[in-house]
Amino acid sequence: MKHLTLDDVIHITGQFGRSQKIYYFGISLLQFFIAPHMLLNVFTGLEPTFHCSPKDVIPKHGATLNRSDSLLNECIDNDVQKCRIIYTSQYKSFASEWNLICSEKYKVALVQSVWMFGVMTGALVLGGLADIIGRLRTLMLALLGTIAFEGFSAFAPTYTVMVVFRFLGGVCCSLIIVASFVLSQELVGMEWRSFCGMLLSMFFALGIAVFSALSAIVSDWRTLTLICSVMGIAFLVFPCYIPESPRWLASQGRNDEAKAVLEGMAMKNMTLDKLPKQWNLPSVVSNLSKKAKGICLLFSHSYVALITLILIFSWFVNSATYYGLTMAASDLGGNVYVSTALNGLVEIPSGLVAMFMIDRLGRRITLCGFMLFGGVACLCIQLLPASLVTLTTLFALLGKLSISSSFAAIYIFSGEIFPTMIRNSGMGIMSVAARIGGMLAPFILMLGDVAPNLQFTALGLLTFSSGLLNLKLPETLGQPMPETIADILAFRKASKTVHHGKYNKLETEDVEADKDTLSRSPSPRRTTEEPAAADDLAPLIVENTESRWS
């Protein structure tokens, strides 16, 4: 009976074969469902054009209002209650349906904030659900919830009912975002993780553009909301052709099920004959069920806690800067539909650049480089005179391109740092940090009222400082995905070796002197400087030790 690690099996049978391409294509299409819900408020709450006349002035039939008896897109004393409103917009948004203009305008923005709060709540409260019941099952439950709650909001009789349903939709959508990304990363080999992660972000960008085009031809917010919701029904067939993550199954001690999934993938890849006739997966967490698990493990060691806190800050900054720059450039195309589409499409070239760099320079350098460059671009805006509008726009666009690239990179980086046992929980915490950043972005933009372009200075300082802190993170390029907390601790002693311009698998600096011992033991050697990990945090069994020393 030959013992093979999960990474060994995927390497033998195909890291991105026919089966993984089918799975990944389905998960990528899911981005066309996620993107509309994240930006739904942009169009369903579209600000209408209107005339306001005093309530005691009633124009005769067929008469035209003039400046003496009406205001255009303004209310008397900014109070909609004092106005007789005549809407001139062809598109019917919930803002025009419930008169959310002038003094009531804040309620439109509140819908988006509540939805983002729902996403944050879902990540915080239910972020670990996929670590308990599985990635695929969580994804299916979240899809059903999003379809139902967002769909119900299309029939909401009042503003309050709509807000409640959108909050619940946000809770479910957060689980889709995290579970789908984690599942896509755990089904492919290490050499394809960055490619798949980057391509996923580009599908999301395309989803924004497609949603903008759809919104331009739909004239009613209820119809648009319903269409965006029922689109999700097509993805309920996922369990028919996408399996549960074999990494999650193995982390739960369900090795026979993980082996069946891997053999099914090998069969579709037509590489089943490359596997030994008799093989099994080692139990890397055999006694894990007897121990407590949870996100508290991310703070169980000072080094792990440091990595976690840096990532939390980095996610917060990425989200605040991303949404801040997106909202600051909302009039890029002079038309809300064109503007939103361009803001999505501009992320495609940034994703291609990041995809090219992340497997050559490494995750850490790519993330730090983009954040430092984006921070400098935002800081330069403060130094420009107000008359140089084109140059200011150019630097803002460079900042947006940089932060889009770093956002894509940090998804991959985080997924490779967190161990399988709490990967979904860890990504959930990062999602919470990102939502807080997104919720605070509008308030950061208000700094522009204090001093011209001060908001860009604040975003630039945040981004630049986060880029520097990210230099403390370990490099994960070429590393197998960690299975336990102890595998993260092994990153501390790792040193980079370069071969033909790419990183090899990271190895400990003192491992050469003890490779004979290591080849006989399933656990990496512990040094006197590094305390022994608890039994339930046993490191990933060393894979194919013979090939490591060849």
Side-chain angles (χ1 to χ4, degrees):
M1 181 73 69
K2 188 174 181 61
H3 296 282
L4 297 174
T5 68
L6 196 143
D7 285 305
D8 285 335
V9 178
I10 292 180
H11 182 77
I12 293 170
T13 60
Q15 298 194 50
F16 195 55
R18 179 175 176 270
S19 63
Q20 288 106 320
K21 289 174 183 175
I22 294 173
Y23 306 152
Y24 182 75
F25 181 69
I27 295 173
S28 297
L29 290 180
L30 188 60
Q31 304 305 308
F32 286 87
F33 176 71
I34 297 173
H37 290 290
M38 292 195 74
L39 297 175
L40 191 61
N41 207 60
V42 173
F43 299 115
T44 59
L46 199 61
E47 184 176 1
T49 56
F50 61 92
H51 286 284
C52 164
S53 60
K55 283 193 171 181
D56 56 350
V57 177
I58 304 176
K60 295 180 180 179
H61 180 69
T64 327
L65 291 169
N66 52 53
R67 289 187 179 182
S68 62
D69 55 18
S70 72
L71 295 173
L72 178 62
N73 298 331
E74 294 182 46
C75 297
I76 300 170
D77 298 330
N78 198 37
D79 187 355
V80 68
Q81 301 299 327
K82 295 182 179 181
C83 293
R84 184 180 304 278
I85 304 296
I86 299 177
Y87 291 104
T88 57
S89 303
Q90 292 184 346
Y91 181 80
K92 186 177 181 181
S93 66
F94 67 76
S96 59
E97 180 171 336
W98 291 315
N99 290 334
L100 304 181
I101 54 177
C102 300
S103 59
E104 298 292 303
K105 184 180 176 180
Y106 75 94
K107 291 184 179 180
V108 177
L110 184 63
V111 176
Q112 181 67 16
S113 295
V114 169
W115 188 86
M116 292 287 282
F117 183 69
V119 175
M120 185 185 74
T121 303
L124 185 62
V125 178
L126 301 175
L129 185 63
D131 291 328
I132 300 173
I133 67 172
R135 304 351 183 179
L136 188 62
R137 189 176 299 176
T138 298
L139 185 58
M140 291 300 100
L141 291 175
L143 263 172
L144 284 171
T146 304
I147 294 169
F149 293 129
E150 296 284 8
F152 290 155
S153 72
F155 301 97
T158 64
Y159 170 82
T160 303
V161 173
M162 182 195 68
V163 169
V164 171
F165 279 132
R166 290 237 61 201
F167 168 79
L168 295 173
V171 171
C172 296
C173 196
S174 71
L175 300 181
I176 297 178
I177 295 170
V178 177
S180 62
F181 175 78
V182 171
L183 182 60
S184 71
Q185 293 287 284
E186 292 183 344
L187 288 172
V188 300
M190 70 172 69
E191 293 180 8
W192 287 90
R193 289 200 301 254
S194 59
F195 172 82
C196 292
M198 290 296 179
L199 201 59
L200 212 61
S201 67
M202 283 187 271
F203 268 93
F204 182 84
L206 284 174
I208 295 176
V210 171
F211 173 56
S212 300
L214 174 64
S215 302
I217 61 176
V218 177
S219 60
D220 179 78
W221 75 272
R222 293 183 183 274
T223 304
L224 181 62
T225 302
L226 188 60
I227 291 174
C228 292
S229 300
V230 298
M231 281 169 51
I233 295 176
F235 300 103
L236 295 178
V237 300
F238 269 9
C240 297
Y241 70 96
I242 295 182
E244 179 55 86
S245 165
R247 291 187 184 275
W248 177 80
L249 291 170
S251 74
Q252 301 298 302
R254 296 159 62 175
N255 286 6
D256 290 341
E257 294 175 60
K259 181 180 176 181
V261 170
L262 292 169
E263 288 180 338
M265 291 168 59
M267 187 177 298
K268 291 179 181 178
N269 291 346
M270 294 182 290
T271 55
L272 186 60
D273 57 331
K274 294 183 178 181
L275 287 172
K277 292 184 178 180
Q278 292 186 335
W279 64 277
N280 64 5
L281 293 169
S283 300
V284 298
V285 287
S286 58
N287 59 343
L288 195 59
S289 59
K290 301 177 184 179
K291 307 291 183 177
K293 296 184 289 183
I295 59 174
C296 60
L297 292 176
L298 292 174
F299 301 93
S300 61
H301 189 280
S302 58
Y303 179 68
V304 180
L306 176 64
I307 291 176
T308 303
L309 291 174
I310 291 175
L311 285 174
I312 287 174
F313 181 66
S314 189
W315 276 78
F316 166 81
V317 172
N318 268 275
S319 181
T321 307
Y322 176 87
Y323 287 108
L325 292 177
T326 299
M327 288 184 283
S330 60
D331 60 344
L332 181 63
N335 175 287
V336 66
Y337 303 105
V338 175
S339 173
T340 306
L342 289 177
N343 269 285
L345 293 175
V346 77
E347 298 179 25
I348 295 178
S350 67
L352 292 173
V353 173
M355 186 187 297
F356 176 81
M357 294 175 61
I358 200 167
D359 280 333
R360 289 163 175 79
L361 300 180
R363 278 64 162 140
R364 179 176 56 191
I365 297 301
T366 300
L367 175 62
C368 296
F370 278 121
M371 295 200 75
L372 291 173
F373 183 79
V376 170
C378 290
L379 289 172
C380 287
I381 295 176
Q382 185 71 69
L383 305 176
L384 298 174
S387 57
L388 298 178
V389 178
T390 302
L391 196 57
T392 300
T393 303
L394 175 61
F395 276 102
L397 185 58
L398 288 174
K400 175 67 187 299
L401 288 170
S402 298
I403 207 66
S404 297
S405 298
S406 68
F407 220 155
I410 200 171
Y411 260 102
I412 297 168
F413 202 6
S414 301
E416 292 179 343
I417 287 179
F418 293 124
T420 300
M421 57 193 292
I422 51 172
R423 182 168 295 124
N424 214 87
S425 300
M427 294 297 288
I429 291 295
M430 298 305 112
S431 182
V432 170
R435 296 321 135 202
I436 294 175
M439 291 169 65
L440 292 180
F443 298 98
I444 296 176
L445 293 182
M446 291 174 63
L447 292 174
D449 298 331
V450 178
N453 295 329
L454 184 59
Q455 69 273 35
F456 294 107
T457 301
L459 293 173
L461 288 173
L462 285 171
T463 306
F464 192 84
S465 61
S466 180
L468 292 176
L469 281 174
N470 287 332
L471 292 171
K472 299 290 291 182
L473 296 174
E475 179 55 68
T476 60
L477 177 60
Q479 284 275 55
M481 277 188 163
E483 303 293 339
T484 66
I485 294 294
D487 292 326
I488 302 180
L489 297 179
F491 285 150
R492 285 190 308 174
K493 295 294 182 181
S495 62
K496 288 185 291 186
T497 58
V498 180
H499 182 64
H500 298 303
K502 292 189 177 182
Y503 291 104
N504 287 333
K505 185 178 295 183
L506 303 182
E507 300 175 334
T508 58
E509 294 172 341
D510 58 352
V511 78
E512 284 288 347
D514 201 42
K515 62 184 180 183
D516 291 334
T517 303
L518 185 59
S519 65
R520 293 191 300 269
S521 172
S523 301
R525 185 172 61 86
R526 295 165 178 149
T527 64
T528 56
E529 293 85 15
E530 184 176 346
D535 290 338
D536 60 315
L537 303 179
L540 178 65
I541 291 180
V542 176
E543 57 175 11
N544 198 1
T545 55
E546 183 179 12
S547 64
R548 283 174 66 97
W549 309 113
S550 60

